[in-house]
Amino acid sequence: IYRSADRGRTWTPSSRGFDGVARVNGLASLDGGVIAAGTDRGILVSRDRGISWSTAAIGGVGGSSRKILAILAHLSRAFAATENGLLRSEDGGATWHELRGLPAGKVLSLASARGRFQAGTDGNGVLESSDGGLSWRQIGAGLPAHSQVFELAATGSDLFAALYSRGLYRWDEWERTW
């Protein structure tokens, strides 16, 4: 991790606490100025603008060594995509717990559009929740079967899905299709 204090003109290493972490897969800015980094070995958080980092506590299978594929702040919660589903934090990234009820295994990407939360999966298209991840519905009409959604992006009310070797799609809310 590198950080800039001058709007990107110069960069300095900011890896205190990253002992043995080889790859960062995602970053998110959480409430209270907290930064969360999803890595191949769990989640690290910084409460001092990225100067130092500490390991967040993760409950469930794999504990704090779980591989995090993406991370996102949505409303007052934070979510982390893993090879086994989703994690959720409600305390500014200090602790993370498995989110049950997601009808897919591996989650590759996360987005927040139109006040809802979306999860791009490995083979099950896009899932959407309007209640903070408690219940889900598939929004897959128009996507190829068994879509691997490697990236989701939202701008305004538009939601985009980048699929592994199958192109880029935009969700049409009015038509309810990609």
Side-chain angles (χ1 to χ4, degrees):
I1 295 274
Y2 286 80
R3 69 185 292 274
S4 175
D6 58 9
R7 299 178 161 261
R9 284 184 285 154
T10 60
W11 294 85
T12 56
S14 180
S15 56
R16 189 174 353 141
F18 267 80
D19 305 326
V21 174
R23 183 168 66 186
V24 175
N25 298 318
L27 290 169
S29 178
L30 310 181
D31 288 344
V34 176
I35 303 169
T39 76
D40 280 352
R41 295 190 181 142
I43 300 171
L44 297 172
V45 293
S46 174
R47 299 188 186 289
D48 58 8
R49 300 178 58 156
I51 295 170
S52 62
W53 300 83
S54 59
T55 301
I58 299 176
V61 179
S64 295
S65 64
R66 280 178 103 167
K67 183 176 184 177
I68 306 301
L69 301 172
I71 198 160
L72 174 82
H74 174 68
L75 303 174
S76 63
R77 299 177 177 119
F79 296 89
T82 76
E83 294 179 318
N84 305 61
L86 285 173
L87 301 172
R88 180 172 65 193
S89 175
E90 296 188 17
D91 60 5
T95 59
W96 297 77
H97 302 282
E98 290 184 62
L99 187 61
R100 307 217 184 270
L102 184 74
K106 189 174 188 179
V107 177
L108 301 171
S109 54
L110 302 170
S112 177
R114 304 172 323 278
R116 297 178 217 137
F117 171 53
Q118 296 81 27
T121 68
D122 185 14
N124 292 312
V126 178
L127 300 171
E128 183 173 72
S129 176
S130 59
D131 58 10
L134 298 176
S135 64
W136 296 89
R137 67 182 179 92
Q138 191 161 23
I139 57 169
L143 289 179
H146 311 294
S147 294
Q148 294 175 297
V149 184
F150 268 64
E151 190 61 59
L152 288 170
T155 177
S157 63
D158 289 328
L159 178 64
F160 297 89
L163 307 184
Y164 178 71
S165 72
R166 291 193 174 180
L168 179 66
Y169 291 78
R170 183 181 67 80
W171 176 252
D172 185 323
E173 183 71 15
W174 181 257
E175 296 289 327
R176 306 292 300 155
T177 188
W178 289 97

